[in-house]
């Protein structure tokens, strides 16, 4: 563990809480990138040692000294990656790290390839976030549109059913107005009361 990361993890709690969630996401993701790069370097050295051991039949790994500073990305690339990390929502930080670890385990990249894989995982996450935001926006528009059209439909249907606008005369209207209903004429067949049968 480097001295800078040791201080970062051992800072007083009030200083840690002063960071914004976006800053913490950037820092966490970039720390994951540097750790994966160191792991890739370590695995690369182990593969080289195994190859030498198989070729010569003797293990000289204990004699080899490795440089303290391994592969590192350029400052420009670091800024680009930090900018991409800043666009990741805090709720996606964990899934991005898990996906990155999965991709690294799947491809077993060399140290200089790790940043390219990291960039692709960040782009994939950014696209997914964008798709989800668009889906939420469409859902909100759909719900608003449906509420508006539903209320208009309900209003129109109520106006069609209203009995006071109807042309059909009812007894209740006559009672409400206090008038006598028109006499209805019933047609009945005539029966004669004859004894001719």
């Amino acid at each position: 563990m480097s001295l800078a990361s040791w201080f970062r993890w051992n800072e007083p709690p009030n200083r840690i809480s002063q960071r914004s969630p976006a800053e913490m996401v950037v820092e966490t993701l970039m720390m994951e990138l540097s750790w994966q790069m160191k792991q890739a370097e370590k695995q690369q050295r182990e593969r080289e040692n195994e190859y030498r051991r198989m070729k010569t039949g003797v293990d000289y790994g204990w004699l080899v000294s490795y440089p303290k500073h391994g592969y590192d990305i350029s400052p420009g690339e670091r800024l680009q990656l930090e900018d991409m990390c800043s666009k990741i929502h805090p709720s996606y930080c964990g899934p991005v790290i898990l996906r990155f670890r999965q991709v690294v385990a799947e491809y077993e990249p060399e140290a200089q390839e790790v940043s390219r894989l990291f960039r692709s995982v960040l782009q994939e996450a950014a696209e997914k976030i964008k798709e989800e935001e668009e889906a939420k926006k469409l859902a909100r528009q759909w719900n608003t549109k449906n509420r508006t059209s539903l209320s208009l439909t309900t209003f129109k249907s109520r106006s069609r059913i209203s009995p006071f606008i109807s042309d059909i005369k009812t007894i209740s209207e006559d009672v409400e107005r206090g008038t006598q209903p028109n006499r209805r004429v019933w047609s009945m067949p005539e029966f004669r009361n004859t004894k001719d049968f």
Side-chain angles (χ1 to χ4, degrees), residues 14 21 32-35 49 53 98 115 117-118 123 134-135 150 155 176 182 189 191:
N14 61 352
E32 180 68 24
L33 171 63
S34 66
W35 185 79
N49 287 339
R53 191 175 316 130
L98 291 176
S115 63
L117 289 176
F118 186 62
Q123 287 172 340
E134 288 176 4
L150 183 61
F155 177 73
E176 288 174 2
N182 294 339
F191 293 104

Side-chain angles (χ1 to χ4, degrees), residues 96-161:
V96 166
I97 289 173
L98 291 176
R99 177 68 180 141
F100 180 48
R101 289 177 182 175
Q102 179 186 18
V103 169
V104 167
E106 184 178 328
Y107 290 104
E108 296 182 0
E110 303 219 353
Q112 59 272 17
E113 298 170 333
V114 173
S115 63
R116 196 169 53 238
L117 289 176
F118 186 62
R119 181 185 301 272
S120 69
V121 169
L122 291 175
Q123 287 172 340
E124 182 182 306
E127 289 171 5
K128 187 174 181 178
I129 291 170
K130 186 176 179 181
E131 287 173 6
E132 288 181 4
E133 286 175 355
E134 288 176 4
K136 286 179 185 176
K137 182 179 177 183
L138 286 174
R140 279 193 302 267
Q141 288 175 348
W142 177 256
N143 288 338
T144 305
K145 182 180 177 182
N146 277 347
R147 275 190 232 128
T148 304
S149 69
L150 183 61
S151 65
L152 286 175
T153 305
T154 306
F155 177 73
K156 287 178 185 175
S157 65
R158 284 182 186 158
S159 66
R160 277 189 243 137
I161 296 174

Side-chain angles (χ1 to χ4, degrees), residues 158-168 170 172-173:
R158 284 182 186 158
S159 66
R160 277 189 243 137
I161 296 174
S162 177
F164 300 109
I165 298 175
S166 161
D167 290 337
I168 301 172
T170 62
S172 63
E173 287 178 9

Side-chain angles (χ1 to χ4, degrees), residues 187-191:
S187 63
M188 299 278 293
E190 288 186 32
F191 293 104

